[in-house]
Amino acid sequence: MSPENAVEVSNLTKYYGDLLAVDHVNFEVRKGEIFGFLGPNGAGKTTTIRMLTGQTRPTLGMAAVAGFDITHQLNKAKERVGVVPEVSNLYDEMSAWDNLIFAAQLYGVPKNERDKRAKELLELFGLHERRRDHVGDFSKGMKRRLTIAAALIHKPDILFLDEPTSGLDVQSSRMIRNLIKQLNES
């Protein structure tokens, strides 16, 4: 893997039985780059992200994430990655604050850093005033911002976003894109 690359994919392939879901995909993402993986529904974008983040194993091919081979060093790669799935992975019955603290625990953020990191992210995403509210009461845009915040709680080197603005209104979509640019710059 080239030291300039955050992600390298070579002939990555995924079969589900006889169904070819991803067909020998090849690409590189350089460090610091915002990379858009585009295609029609059913093209294999989500399956590719699922392979790169360790949610499913490739059938063939090779990929390295943050310098680690996903088939032999998956745990090392996962430590350096944040994942924003297409469908929210938040708990509606919990508050925004509790969701972030829970995510921090799952990612192994040291206890003495969790509160500080949660506060910073809630402020960055404009949700600090709503931190005690149940996520079930949030709009789609607010849930999306909180989902991204949860994926960033452990300060990953790489952030995978699956359909980050799908189903959002124009204003929320623009806000998410601007936040992604800001995060990339910092």
Side-chain angles (χ1 to χ4, degrees):
M1 179 165 165
S2 169
E4 296 89 36
N5 290 332
V7 178
E8 281 188 19
V9 174
S10 177
N11 292 314
L12 200 62
T13 303
K14 180 66 179 180
Y15 281 94
Y16 291 104
D18 291 333
L19 175 70
L20 178 60
V22 176
D23 187 7
H24 296 84
V25 173
N26 297 281
F27 63 88
E28 296 175 352
V29 180
R30 298 180 66 79
K31 290 180 180 174
E33 182 177 21
I34 296 175
F35 179 82
F37 194 48
L38 305 175
N41 290 342
K45 301 177 302 291
T46 296
T47 300
T48 300
I49 290 173
R50 290 175 53 81
M51 286 188 284
L52 295 175
T53 59
Q55 297 170 56
T56 192
R57 295 185 62 82
T59 306
L60 300 168
M62 162 280 167
V65 174
F68 298 100
D69 182 322
I70 62 165
T71 55
H72 299 100
Q73 301 169 299
L74 182 58
N75 287 338
K76 292 278 189 191
K78 286 171 99 173
E79 290 172 4
R80 292 179 172 75
V81 168
V83 181
V84 179
E86 183 176 1
V87 177
S88 173
N89 58 353
L90 301 171
Y91 292 93
D92 284 348
E93 66 279 0
M94 291 170 54
S95 70
W97 180 266
D98 290 341
N99 267 282
L100 287 186
I101 296 301
F102 182 63
Q105 291 169 334
L106 290 176
Y107 280 117
V109 175
K111 190 173 185 169
N112 62 337
E113 293 179 27
R114 292 176 194 156
D115 287 356
K116 178 180 179 265
R117 190 73 182 131
K119 183 178 186 288
E120 288 171 355
L121 287 166
L122 287 167
E123 288 173 350
L124 175 67
F125 285 90
L127 297 169
H128 192 261
E129 289 182 11
R130 301 283 308 267
R131 69 188 176 279
R132 299 284 176 218
D133 295 350
H134 286 171
V135 172
D137 297 330
F138 282 14
S139 69
K140 276 186 181 179
M142 292 169 67
K143 284 184 181 181
R144 205 67 185 143
R145 286 182 283 160
L146 187 61
T147 302
I148 296 170
L152 293 170
I153 195 77
H154 66 299
K155 298 184 178 182
D157 297 326
I158 299 168
L159 183 63
F160 286 95
L161 300 111
D162 192 0
E163 304 271 355
T165 60
S166 178
L168 296 181
D169 61 82
V170 173
Q171 183 179 0
S172 295
S173 181
R174 185 175 295 128
M175 180 184 288
I176 299 274
R177 285 194 306 274
N178 287 336
L179 281 168
I180 291 167
K181 288 177 190 173
Q182 277 182 302
L183 290 166
N184 180 259
E185 290 168 2
S186 66

Tab-separated table of all heavy atoms in Angstrom, residues 90-124:
chain	number	residue	atom	x	y	z
A	90	LEU	N	-28.692	4.839	15.717
A	90	LEU	CA	-28.913	5.469	17.016
A	90	LEU	C	-30.072	4.788	17.739
A	90	LEU	O	-30.906	4.137	17.114
A	90	LEU	CB	-29.234	6.953	16.829
A	90	LEU	CG	-28.179	7.791	16.110
A	90	LEU	CD1	-28.732	9.177	15.808
A	90	LEU	CD2	-26.899	7.881	16.916
A	91	TYR	N	-30.128	4.995	19.032
A	91	TYR	CA	-31.225	4.472	19.844
A	91	TYR	C	-32.208	5.604	20.132
A	91	TYR	O	-31.886	6.551	20.851
A	91	TYR	CB	-30.684	3.864	21.146
A	91	TYR	CG	-29.874	2.621	20.888
A	91	TYR	CD1	-28.489	2.691	20.724
A	91	TYR	CD2	-30.492	1.381	20.766
A	91	TYR	CE1	-27.745	1.548	20.458
A	91	TYR	CE2	-29.761	0.239	20.506
A	91	TYR	CZ	-28.384	0.329	20.354
A	91	TYR	OH	-27.659	-0.806	20.085
A	92	ASP	N	-33.402	5.505	19.551
A	92	ASP	CA	-34.407	6.562	19.675
A	92	ASP	C	-34.829	6.835	21.112
A	92	ASP	O	-35.170	7.963	21.452
A	92	ASP	CB	-35.656	6.210	18.854
A	92	ASP	CG	-35.465	6.420	17.365
A	92	ASP	OD1	-34.462	7.041	16.958
A	92	ASP	OD2	-36.343	5.969	16.598
A	93	GLU	N	-34.819	5.816	21.964
A	93	GLU	CA	-35.280	5.995	23.346
A	93	GLU	C	-34.208	6.609	24.254
A	93	GLU	O	-34.487	6.928	25.404
A	93	GLU	CB	-35.764	4.650	23.921
A	93	GLU	CG	-34.686	3.600	24.083
A	93	GLU	CD	-34.337	2.834	22.804
A	93	GLU	OE1	-34.928	3.095	21.745
A	93	GLU	OE2	-33.448	1.980	22.873
A	94	MET	N	-33.007	6.791	23.716
A	94	MET	CA	-31.927	7.401	24.487
A	94	MET	C	-31.745	8.850	24.056
A	94	MET	O	-32.132	9.242	22.959
A	94	MET	CB	-30.604	6.630	24.273
A	94	MET	CG	-30.613	5.246	24.879
A	94	MET	SD	-29.189	4.196	24.402
A	94	MET	CE	-27.793	5.200	24.823
A	95	SER	N	-31.133	9.648	24.905
A	95	SER	CA	-30.845	11.038	24.560
A	95	SER	C	-29.666	11.100	23.594
A	95	SER	O	-28.913	10.131	23.437
A	95	SER	CB	-30.511	11.835	25.824
A	95	SER	OG	-29.248	11.421	26.348
A	96	ALA	N	-29.496	12.258	22.975
A	96	ALA	CA	-28.348	12.467	22.090
A	96	ALA	C	-27.056	12.246	22.875
A	96	ALA	O	-26.129	11.586	22.400
A	96	ALA	CB	-28.393	13.875	21.510
A	97	TRP	N	-27.002	12.797	24.086
A	97	TRP	CA	-25.819	12.651	24.942
A	97	TRP	C	-25.531	11.177	25.223
A	97	TRP	O	-24.399	10.713	25.062
A	97	TRP	CB	-26.026	13.412	26.251
A	97	TRP	CG	-24.856	13.314	27.173
A	97	TRP	CD1	-24.674	12.419	28.189
A	97	TRP	CD2	-23.695	14.128	27.142
A	97	TRP	NE1	-23.462	12.634	28.792
A	97	TRP	CE2	-22.848	13.682	28.175
A	97	TRP	CE3	-23.282	15.203	26.356
A	97	TRP	CZ2	-21.613	14.266	28.431
A	97	TRP	CZ3	-22.051	15.789	26.615
A	97	TRP	CH2	-21.237	15.325	27.640
A	98	ASP	N	-26.554	10.451	25.637
A	98	ASP	CA	-26.362	9.034	25.978
A	98	ASP	C	-25.950	8.205	24.757
A	98	ASP	O	-25.146	7.280	24.885
A	98	ASP	CB	-27.624	8.457	26.611
A	98	ASP	CG	-27.876	9.006	28.012
A	98	ASP	OD1	-26.924	9.537	28.641
A	98	ASP	OD2	-29.027	8.916	28.475
A	99	ASN	N	-26.467	8.547	23.582
A	99	ASN	CA	-26.046	7.855	22.368
A	99	ASN	C	-24.554	8.066	22.113
A	99	ASN	O	-23.839	7.120	21.773
A	99	ASN	CB	-26.852	8.334	21.154
A	99	ASN	CG	-28.063	7.484	20.873
A	99	ASN	OD1	-27.958	6.402	20.322
A	99	ASN	ND2	-29.233	7.992	21.274
A	100	LEU	N	-24.083	9.291	22.281
A	100	LEU	CA	-22.660	9.556	22.044
A	100	LEU	C	-21.776	8.889	23.094
A	100	LEU	O	-20.723	8.336	22.754
A	100	LEU	CB	-22.386	11.059	21.996
A	100	LEU	CG	-22.870	11.788	20.752
A	100	LEU	CD1	-22.413	13.236	20.771
A	100	LEU	CD2	-22.398	11.102	19.481
A	101	ILE	N	-22.191	8.910	24.334
A	101	ILE	CA	-21.396	8.258	25.389
A	101	ILE	C	-21.354	6.750	25.142
A	101	ILE	O	-20.309	6.111	25.283
A	101	ILE	CB	-21.958	8.588	26.783
A	101	ILE	CG1	-21.839	10.097	27.063
A	101	ILE	CG2	-21.256	7.767	27.860
A	101	ILE	CD1	-20.428	10.667	27.013
A	102	PHE	N	-22.479	6.174	24.729
A	102	PHE	CA	-22.525	4.750	24.422
A	102	PHE	C	-21.593	4.423	23.256
A	102	PHE	O	-20.836	3.444	23.293
A	102	PHE	CB	-23.965	4.325	24.122
A	102	PHE	CG	-24.122	2.859	23.833
A	102	PHE	CD1	-23.829	1.907	24.792
A	102	PHE	CD2	-24.562	2.428	22.592
A	102	PHE	CE1	-23.975	0.545	24.537
A	102	PHE	CE2	-24.710	1.078	22.313
A	102	PHE	CZ	-24.407	0.130	23.289
A	103	ALA	N	-21.625	5.243	22.194
A	103	ALA	CA	-20.732	5.028	21.047
A	103	ALA	C	-19.276	5.136	21.493
A	103	ALA	O	-18.431	4.340	21.065
A	103	ALA	CB	-21.036	6.042	19.941
A	104	ALA	N	-18.981	6.088	22.364
A	104	ALA	CA	-17.614	6.244	22.868
A	104	ALA	C	-17.166	4.989	23.616
A	104	ALA	O	-16.022	4.532	23.474
A	104	ALA	CB	-17.522	7.470	23.773
A	105	GLN	N	-18.064	4.420	24.402
A	105	GLN	CA	-17.744	3.180	25.113
A	105	GLN	C	-17.462	2.049	24.129
A	105	GLN	O	-16.500	1.302	24.285
A	105	GLN	CB	-18.886	2.793	26.056
A	105	GLN	CG	-19.052	3.723	27.232
A	105	GLN	CD	-20.343	3.486	27.990
A	105	GLN	OE1	-21.332	3.005	27.451
A	105	GLN	NE2	-20.338	3.841	29.279
A	106	LEU	N	-18.309	1.929	23.101
A	106	LEU	CA	-18.124	0.875	22.103
A	106	LEU	C	-16.797	1.025	21.368
A	106	LEU	O	-16.151	0.024	21.046
A	106	LEU	CB	-19.271	0.881	21.093
A	106	LEU	CG	-20.633	0.434	21.600
A	106	LEU	CD1	-21.689	0.584	20.506
A	106	LEU	CD2	-20.597	-1.002	22.096
A	107	TYR	N	-16.408	2.245	21.079
A	107	TYR	CA	-15.157	2.502	20.365
A	107	TYR	C	-13.935	2.505	21.286
A	107	TYR	O	-12.815	2.704	20.828
A	107	TYR	CB	-15.227	3.832	19.609
A	107	TYR	CG	-15.955	3.764	18.297
A	107	TYR	CD1	-17.128	4.499	18.089
A	107	TYR	CD2	-15.468	3.008	17.227
A	107	TYR	CE1	-17.780	4.471	16.863
A	107	TYR	CE2	-16.118	2.970	16.009
A	107	TYR	CZ	-17.273	3.706	15.833
A	107	TYR	OH	-17.920	3.676	14.626
A	108	GLY	N	-14.146	2.333	22.582
A	108	GLY	CA	-13.011	2.268	23.501
A	108	GLY	C	-12.397	3.607	23.850
A	108	GLY	O	-11.222	3.678	24.234
A	109	VAL	N	-13.173	4.677	23.736
A	109	VAL	CA	-12.671	5.996	24.141
A	109	VAL	C	-12.492	5.976	25.660
A	109	VAL	O	-13.412	5.570	26.382
A	109	VAL	CB	-13.658	7.113	23.720
A	109	VAL	CG1	-13.212	8.473	24.243
A	109	VAL	CG2	-13.826	7.132	22.202
A	110	PRO	N	-11.334	6.381	26.150
A	110	PRO	CA	-11.112	6.380	27.600
A	110	PRO	C	-12.186	7.187	28.342
A	110	PRO	O	-12.642	8.228	27.857
A	110	PRO	CB	-9.740	7.034	27.758
A	110	PRO	CG	-9.063	6.822	26.439
A	110	PRO	CD	-10.157	6.845	25.414
A	111	LYS	N	-12.587	6.685	29.490
A	111	LYS	CA	-13.676	7.285	30.261
A	111	LYS	C	-13.453	8.776	30.523
A	111	LYS	O	-14.388	9.574	30.437
A	111	LYS	CB	-13.843	6.529	31.580
A	111	LYS	CG	-15.078	6.916	32.343
A	111	LYS	CD	-15.289	6.036	33.557
A	111	LYS	CE	-16.607	6.396	34.208
A	111	LYS	NZ	-17.006	5.446	35.215
A	112	ASN	N	-12.217	9.165	30.804
A	112	ASN	CA	-11.941	10.563	31.133
A	112	ASN	C	-12.023	11.490	29.914
A	112	ASN	O	-11.989	12.706	30.073
A	112	ASN	CB	-10.568	10.702	31.803
A	112	ASN	CG	-9.421	10.259	30.907
A	112	ASN	OD1	-9.604	9.480	29.976
A	112	ASN	ND2	-8.234	10.750	31.199
A	113	GLU	N	-12.163	10.946	28.697
A	113	GLU	CA	-12.274	11.772	27.485
A	113	GLU	C	-13.689	11.804	26.913
A	113	GLU	O	-13.988	12.631	26.053
A	113	GLU	CB	-11.331	11.235	26.399
A	113	GLU	CG	-9.868	11.379	26.733
A	113	GLU	CD	-8.984	10.808	25.631
A	113	GLU	OE1	-9.421	10.782	24.457
A	113	GLU	OE2	-7.867	10.378	25.952
A	114	ARG	N	-14.553	10.906	27.348
A	114	ARG	CA	-15.875	10.753	26.724
A	114	ARG	C	-16.733	12.014	26.804
A	114	ARG	O	-17.294	12.458	25.799
A	114	ARG	CB	-16.633	9.588	27.361
A	114	ARG	CG	-16.033	8.249	27.050
A	114	ARG	CD	-16.738	7.129	27.779
A	114	ARG	NE	-15.922	5.919	27.694
A	114	ARG	CZ	-15.992	4.927	28.553
A	114	ARG	NH1	-16.861	4.959	29.561
A	114	ARG	NH2	-15.219	3.882	28.409
A	115	ASP	N	-16.859	12.591	27.991
A	115	ASP	CA	-17.709	13.775	28.158
A	115	ASP	C	-17.212	14.942	27.314
A	115	ASP	O	-18.006	15.617	26.650
A	115	ASP	CB	-17.776	14.189	29.625
A	115	ASP	CG	-18.624	13.257	30.463
A	115	ASP	OD1	-19.229	12.316	29.919
A	115	ASP	OD2	-18.683	13.477	31.695
A	116	LYS	N	-15.906	15.173	27.335
A	116	LYS	CA	-15.322	16.286	26.574
A	116	LYS	C	-15.569	16.104	25.080
A	116	LYS	O	-15.995	17.027	24.387
A	116	LYS	CB	-13.820	16.378	26.854
A	116	LYS	CG	-13.106	17.451	26.080
A	116	LYS	CD	-11.607	17.449	26.429
A	116	LYS	CE	-10.866	18.490	25.645
A	116	LYS	NZ	-10.252	17.979	24.436
A	117	ARG	N	-15.351	14.908	24.602
A	117	ARG	CA	-15.514	14.630	23.176
A	117	ARG	C	-16.992	14.735	22.769
A	117	ARG	O	-17.323	15.309	21.728
A	117	ARG	CB	-14.969	13.225	22.869
A	117	ARG	CG	-14.873	12.915	21.440
A	117	ARG	CD	-13.734	13.663	20.768
A	117	ARG	NE	-13.745	13.328	19.361
A	117	ARG	CZ	-13.680	14.206	18.387
A	117	ARG	NH1	-13.542	15.475	18.640
A	117	ARG	NH2	-13.715	13.828	17.130
A	118	ALA	N	-17.895	14.222	23.598
A	118	ALA	CA	-19.327	14.312	23.297
A	118	ALA	C	-19.771	15.771	23.234
A	118	ALA	O	-20.501	16.171	22.320
A	118	ALA	CB	-20.141	13.534	24.328
A	119	LYS	N	-19.325	16.576	24.180
A	119	LYS	CA	-19.685	18.004	24.208
A	119	LYS	C	-19.173	18.713	22.951
A	119	LYS	O	-19.913	19.467	22.316
A	119	LYS	CB	-19.122	18.667	25.462
A	119	LYS	CG	-19.506	20.119	25.615
A	119	LYS	CD	-18.937	20.697	26.921
A	119	LYS	CE	-19.405	22.089	27.199
A	119	LYS	NZ	-18.819	23.103	26.331
A	120	GLU	N	-17.923	18.458	22.582
A	120	GLU	CA	-17.343	19.080	21.387
A	120	GLU	C	-18.146	18.741	20.135
A	120	GLU	O	-18.432	19.618	19.316
A	120	GLU	CB	-15.899	18.596	21.177
A	120	GLU	CG	-14.901	19.147	22.156
A	120	GLU	CD	-13.531	18.462	22.033
A	120	GLU	OE1	-13.388	17.487	21.252
A	120	GLU	OE2	-12.597	18.910	22.728
A	121	LEU	N	-18.502	17.471	19.990
A	121	LEU	CA	-19.229	17.048	18.795
A	121	LEU	C	-20.650	17.595	18.767
A	121	LEU	O	-21.138	18.018	17.713
A	121	LEU	CB	-19.229	15.523	18.692
A	121	LEU	CG	-17.877	14.922	18.293
A	121	LEU	CD1	-17.855	13.424	18.542
A	121	LEU	CD2	-17.562	15.237	16.833
A	122	LEU	N	-21.317	17.602	19.906
A	122	LEU	CA	-22.677	18.157	19.955
A	122	LEU	C	-22.660	19.640	19.595
A	122	LEU	O	-23.556	20.119	18.900
A	122	LEU	CB	-23.301	17.925	21.326
A	122	LEU	CG	-23.712	16.474	21.600
A	122	LEU	CD1	-24.016	16.284	23.079
A	122	LEU	CD2	-24.905	16.073	20.747
A	123	GLU	N	-21.652	20.353	20.042
A	123	GLU	CA	-21.530	21.768	19.691
A	123	GLU	C	-21.224	21.932	18.208
A	123	GLU	O	-21.836	22.755	17.525
A	123	GLU	CB	-20.456	22.442	20.551
A	123	GLU	CG	-20.899	22.626	21.993
A	123	GLU	CD	-19.806	23.140	22.921
A	123	GLU	OE1	-18.620	23.196	22.511
A	123	GLU	OE2	-20.146	23.471	24.077
A	124	LEU	N	-20.284	21.144	17.691
A	124	LEU	CA	-19.908	21.223	16.285
A	124	LEU	C	-21.107	20.975	15.372
A	124	LEU	O	-21.285	21.655	14.362
A	124	LEU	CB	-18.806	20.198	15.980
A	124	LEU	CG	-18.393	20.068	14.516
A	124	LEU	CD1	-17.702	21.343	14.036
A	124	LEU	CD2	-17.479	18.872	14.317
